[in-house]
Each structure stands twice: as structure tokens, then as C-alpha cells.
């Protein structure tokens, strides 16, 4: 194999048929790793308490699903909040550059506050 073929094989990553690459999906790697840890902890703890193998496997699988989904949703929600904050900051910077030194500059000429309730 040449160097180029080795690079192409190493960049493929883990793929499921019909899905995007796990490597390129935001939060997927961390969620699966958290799920693996959660399933190990839940299954092992249940086995140590009850000594029932099949039920411990079921508890471990449920722990994997719950931990993976919980971690993935938490990460995705935080990423969405971060993107909204970044967009607001970018718009604010764009407006500052646009209005800086002009007549409608909100920094030099603040708007008059109007009461919210009609009198």
C-alpha cells in the first residue's frame, strides 16, 4: 500500500450503513463513550447487588441507552445555545462596525426610553 492509500483508509472512520460518519457527527463520540461507561457501571452494580446475569445485562443495556441519549441531547442543546450566542455576538460586532462614527450610532446617541404602558 502506498502512503496515499493508508491515509485514505485511516480517514474513513467508523461508518454505519445509511448513516453519516460517527466521527463527523457532533457529540456522537462523547455520547457513545459516556453510554459505554454508564452501561458498565449500571450492569456491574446490578450484578453485584442481585447476582442475576440476564437482568444485569438488561439493566446495563438500558443504562447504555439512557446515558447515551441523555449525554447526546445535553451536548446538542449546549451546542445550539453556543451557536445562538455566537450569532448574536457576530451581529453585534457587524452593527458596531456599521454604525461606528455615524449619526445613528447607539453608543453616542442612546435612544430615548419610552414607557411601556400607555398613559
Amino acid at each position: 500500500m502506498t502512503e496515499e492509500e493508508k491515509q485514505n483508509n485511516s480517514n474513513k472512520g467508523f461508518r454505519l450503513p445509511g448513516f453519516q460518519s460517527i466521527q463527523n457527527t457532533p457529540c456522537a463520540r462523547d455520547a457513545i463513550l459516556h453510554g459505554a461507561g454508564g452501561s458498565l457501571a449500571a450492569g456491574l452494580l446490578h450484578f453485584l447487588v442481585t447476582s442475576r446475569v440476564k437482568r444485569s445485562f438488561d439493566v446495563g443495556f438500558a443504562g447504555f441507552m439512557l446515558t447515551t441519549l441523555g449525554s447526546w441531547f445535553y451536548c446538542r442543546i449546549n451546542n445550539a445555545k453556543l451557536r445562538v450566542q455566537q450569532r448574536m455576538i457576530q451581529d453585534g460586532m457587524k452593527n458596531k462596525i456599521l454604525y461606528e462614527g455615524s449619526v445613528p450610532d447607539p453608543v453616542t446617541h442612546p435612544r430615548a426610553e419610552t414607557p411601556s404602558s400607555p398613559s
Side-chain angles (χ1 to χ4, degrees):
M1 287 175 81
T2 64
E3 288 293 322
E4 192 173 308
E5 289 174 353
K6 287 180 184 177
Q7 261 185 343
N8 288 340
N9 287 342
S10 66
N11 289 340
K12 284 184 181 178
F14 178 70
R15 294 189 62 93
L16 294 173
F19 291 103
Q20 292 181 353
S21 173
I22 299 257
Q23 192 174 20
N24 297 332
T25 306
C27 304
R29 179 181 179 272
D30 291 338
I32 289 174
L33 289 174
H34 289 146
S39 70
L40 184 68
L44 189 61
L45 229 72
H46 190 271
F47 178 73
L48 290 175
V49 171
T50 63
S51 297
R52 296 174 69 186
V53 177
K54 185 183 180 316
R55 180 64 55 97
S56 297
F57 174 80
D58 294 342
V59 168
F61 185 75
F64 173 77
M65 295 302 291
L66 292 174
T67 309
T68 301
L69 290 175
S71 175
W72 188 73
F73 280 120
Y74 178 77
C75 182
R76 294 291 289 202
I77 288 171
N78 281 344
N79 281 351
K81 287 179 185 178
L82 184 64
R83 280 194 304 269
V84 167
Q85 288 175 350
Q86 288 173 342
R87 193 175 311 124
M88 287 176 56
I89 290 171
Q90 286 176 345
D91 290 342
M93 289 172 58
K94 191 186 311 179
N95 287 339
K96 178 156 178 62
I97 292 169
L98 183 68
Y99 289 128
E100 190 173 27
S102 65
V103 174
D105 187 7
V107 174
T108 58
H109 303 290
R111 287 186 256 166
E113 295 287 329
T114 58
S116 59
S117 62
S119 299

